[in-house]
Amino acid sequence: MSTPKIQSVRGMNDVLPDQAEFWDLFEETIRSWLKSYGYRPLRLPIVEPTPLFKRAIGEVTDIVEKEMYSFVDSLNGEPLTLRPEGTAGCVRAVIQHSLIAQQAQRLYYMGPMFRHERPQKGRYRQFHQVGVEALGFDGPDIDAEQILMGARLWGDLGLGGISLQLNTLGQSAERAGHRAELIAYFERHSERLDDDARRRLHSNPLRILDSKNPELQEVILGAPQLIDHLGAESLAHFDGVQQVLRDAGQPFTINPRLVRGLDYYNLTVFEWVTDRLGAQGTVCAGGRYDGLVEQLGGKPAPACGFAMGVERLIALIAEAGGETTAPAVDVYLVHQGADASRLAARVAEGLRDQGIDVLFHCGGGSFKSQMKKADASGAAFAVIIGDDEATAGEVTLKHLRAVGEQPNQQKRVSVDRVADEIMNSIVDWEES
Ligand code: HAM
C-alpha cells in the first residue's frame, strides 16, 4: 500500500513557477507604481494579537464573527490570529513605532491574508493583498489621489472594464441618527427580513443594506438613506472627492448601499469592480478610517487606504489575454566530456557576470537529449561545448528560436566573444 499523500489546506493555493514568475513581474509593476506616488514599503507580521482585529474590524462583522483563524499560543496562552487584512496591523505598527509623530506617512505592504470563507473562484482562505495606507492627511485630496492611483494602475496593467463605485459613510454621530431610523424602519418590516438581517437588526443594521439576498432588495430600496443625515462638513468632504475625480475625467457611480464589511470606515468608501470575474468582482476596495488610530491607542490621526486582491487582478489580466508567464532564461548550456564541462562551468559564470541568465545542464546525457531539454526550456540560445570546442577554446552558439530572417542559425565563437555575440543577438532579437 502506498503512503497517502498530504494535500494543501482547502482554499490555500500553491503558486507554481509559471505563475509565480508572473507574480514577481506583477509585484515589480506594483512597487514602481507605488514609488511613483511616494509610498514606502512596510513588512508586517502575519500573526497579530487577536484583540487587535476585534477592536479594529469590529466584533459584529463577518470577518471577526466567523472567518478568523484564531488560536491560543500553546506555549504562553496568548490569543493570536492569522491576519485577515492588513490595515489593523499597519496602524498598530505606526502607533508602536511613532511613525506619524513627525510627519504624515504614505505606506504600503503586500502579502498573504487569511479568512475562513467558503472557497470559490476568486475567493480563497489564503489570498494576497497589496495594501496602501496614508496616515495623517485629512482633506478629500488624498482620498481622491488614492482612487485615481487605481485608475493609473489599471492602465499600466492594460486592464479595462473596471468601474468605480463611491459612497460616503459620514461620521459616527451622523450614522447614529440614521441607524435609529433604520432600525425603526426594519422593525416595521421585520417579517420581510431573513435570519441574517434579523440578527444584525440591532447590532449592525447598516450591513443589512449590503445584503445580496434577492428577497430583501425591495425592502432595502425603501430604507432611509444615510446621505439625508449628513452635516455640511461630511457633505463638503464628499463633494471635494467627487470634484477631483470629475476634474481628472474619472467616471464613478455613487452607490448608497456600499457600506463595506469592516467597521473602521467613515466618510469616503470606494470599490473598483469588474463583471468579468463572476461573483467575486471587487478587485480593490477601501476608504477613510479617521477613528482607527485613536481606537488602537494612538494620538488621534486621520487616515485612508485601500487594498487590492492579487489573485483577482492576476485572473483579470489572464482573462484580458495578457501575458501571465514570465520569459525563460537566455541561455541553456549544453556540455559533454570532462574538459568541456569544466570549461562550461566557467563560461556559465562569465555569462552571468554580463547579466545573461544561464541554465546550466546538470545530470549528463547525450548531446541529443540535452538539446531536447534546451529546446523545451524556452531559452533563446544554446551554448554547446564538446571536446572539440574545449580544445579550441570555443563554443557553438545556436539560436533556438528564429531571429529575423535566420532561423536556428549556429556558429562557432571564441570563449571570450560569446557574451558579446549573445548581447548583440539579443539586441537584434528585440529589434526584429
Ligand atoms: P476588503 O474589502 O476586505 O478590505 O479586501 C480588499 C480586497 O481583497 C477585496 O476587494 C478583494 O479583492 C480581496 N479579497 C478579500 N477577501 C478575499 C478572499 N477571500 N479571496 C480573494 N481575495 C479577497 C480590506 O481588507 C481593507 N483592509 C482595505 C483597506 C485598506 N481599507 C483601508 N485600507
Side-chain angles (χ1 to χ4, degrees):
M1 215 178 73
S2 61
T3 315
K5 291 187 197 123
I6 297 178
Q7 304 281 340
S8 63
V9 176
R10 189 162 122 82
M12 303 201 183
N13 299 316
D14 301 309
V15 181
L16 301 179
D18 277 352
Q19 281 284 310
E21 280 173 341
F22 182 73
W23 280 52
D24 286 351
L25 291 180
F26 174 81
E27 285 172 9
E28 270 171 42
T29 306
I30 295 287
R31 285 181 206 285
S32 68
W33 161 70
L34 287 161
K35 192 160 170 283
S36 79
Y37 285 89
Y39 279 80
R40 300 180 67 204
L42 260 184
R43 291 179 188 243
L44 299 164
I46 286 170
V47 177
E48 295 275 2
T50 302
L52 173 69
F53 300 115
K54 291 193 174 170
R55 235 203 275 174
I57 300 170
E59 300 263 6
V60 194
T61 55
D62 281 351
I63 296 179
V64 170
E65 277 184 332
K66 44 189 186 203
E67 294 171 1
M68 293 210 302
Y69 285 90
S70 296
F71 57 98
V72 174
D73 183 333
S74 61
L75 297 178
N76 63 5
E78 195 182 354
L80 300 175
T81 293
L82 298 185
R83 62 183 185 190
E85 60 102 51
T87 309
C90 176
V91 171
R92 190 236 353 105
V94 161
I95 298 169
Q96 185 171 333
H97 303 286
S98 310
L99 285 190
I100 46 175
Q102 305 302 329
Q103 64 175 56
Q105 297 277 344
R106 285 175 164 92
L107 303 167
Y108 74 90
Y109 47 84
M110 33 180 132
M113 307 289 160
F114 302 83
R115 297 184 193 174
H116 197 280
E117 297 190 82
R118 196 171 50 77
Q120 62 180 87
K121 181 171 173 262
R123 188 163 75 189
Y124 310 103
R125 290 181 174 170
Q126 175 177 323
F127 60 98
H128 296 75
Q129 281 187 347
V130 176
V132 180
E133 317 284 0
L135 297 108
F137 302 91
D138 58 9
D141 47 357
I142 190 84
D143 313 27
E145 181 187 270
Q146 289 195 332
I147 293 169
L148 292 173
M149 284 173 76
R152 174 175 292 277
L153 182 64
W154 317 144
D156 289 354
L157 294 172
L159 295 175
I162 305 180
S163 56
L164 174 62
Q165 306 242 325
L166 191 66
N167 192 21
T168 178
L169 299 180
Q171 303 293 10
S172 60
E174 295 160 342
R175 281 199 301 280
H178 174 237
R179 182 189 150 102
E181 251 190 46
L182 207 56
I183 292 175
Y185 170 83
F186 282 127
E187 273 175 343
R188 285 200 301 280
H189 296 94
S190 70
E191 77 293 344
R192 295 167 67 187
L193 300 182
D194 61 12
D195 286 349
D196 226 26
R198 253 182 237 120
R199 199 168 47 81
R200 288 197 161 123
L201 180 53
H202 293 278
S203 55
N204 199 350
L206 207 59
R207 289 280 291 157
I208 302 177
L209 301 180
D210 201 25
S211 165
K212 302 281 182 291
N213 183 348
E215 285 169 16
L216 257 65
Q217 300 312 308
E218 203 185 314
V219 71
I220 288 172
L221 267 181
Q225 302 264 329
L226 175 62
I227 195 104
D228 299 328
H229 290 262
L230 298 189
E233 255 186 61
S234 295
L235 289 171
H237 190 98
F238 196 36
D239 283 345
V241 175
Q242 293 177 57
Q243 190 57 54
V244 183
L245 297 181
R246 272 192 220 102
D247 288 349
Q250 172 59 52
F252 57 90
T253 306
I254 294 181
N255 176 1
R257 292 177 52 182
L258 181 65
V259 295
R260 310 279 299 124
L262 307 96
D263 283 355
Y264 47 61
Y265 293 108
N266 69 315
L267 295 175
T268 319
V269 287
F270 64 91
E271 291 192 358
W272 287 99
V273 190
T274 173
D275 55 13
R276 297 183 187 170
L277 291 178
Q280 305 302 320
T282 306
V283 291
C284 175
R288 192 160 267 287
Y289 50 94
D290 293 327
L292 188 59
V293 176
E294 185 177 18
Q295 211 176 308
L296 293 180
K299 274 216 336 244
C304 65
F306 62 93
M308 301 181 293
V310 175
E311 285 82 356
R312 291 183 192 180
L313 278 173
I314 285 179
L316 199 56
I317 295 168
E319 198 271 345
E323 204 53 46
T324 54
T325 50
V329 292
D330 303 312
V331 168
Y332 194 100
L333 218 157
V334 171
H335 54 96
Q336 200 187 38
D339 289 344
S341 297
R342 224 174 286 143
L343 177 60
R346 267 199 288 127
V347 168
E349 283 304 301
L351 293 177
R352 292 187 190 113
D353 286 343
Q354 303 299 313
I356 296 168
D357 301 336
V358 182
L359 215 157
F360 185 83
H361 179 82
C362 287
S366 68
F367 274 122
K368 196 168 159 212
S369 75
Q370 291 192 37
M371 284 308 295
K372 263 196 192 156
K373 290 193 168 118
D375 266 330
S377 74
F381 305 91
V383 167
I384 305 160
I385 307 179
D387 289 339
D388 238 26
E389 284 91 347
T391 311
E394 290 179 342
V395 310
T396 297
L397 178 63
K398 180 170 184 192
H399 289 282
L400 294 175
R401 324 251 195 85
V403 181
E405 296 298 299
Q406 301 186 313
N408 299 335
Q409 211 186 38
Q410 84 172 46
K411 62 175 165 184
R412 290 277 285 254
V413 181
S414 83
V415 164
D416 320 331
R417 293 270 321 134
V418 61
D420 283 350
E421 281 284 335
I422 289 173
M423 295 300 247
N424 291 340
S425 299
I426 290 176
V427 173
D428 289 350
W429 175 287
E430 282 166 359
E431 286 171 357
S432 72

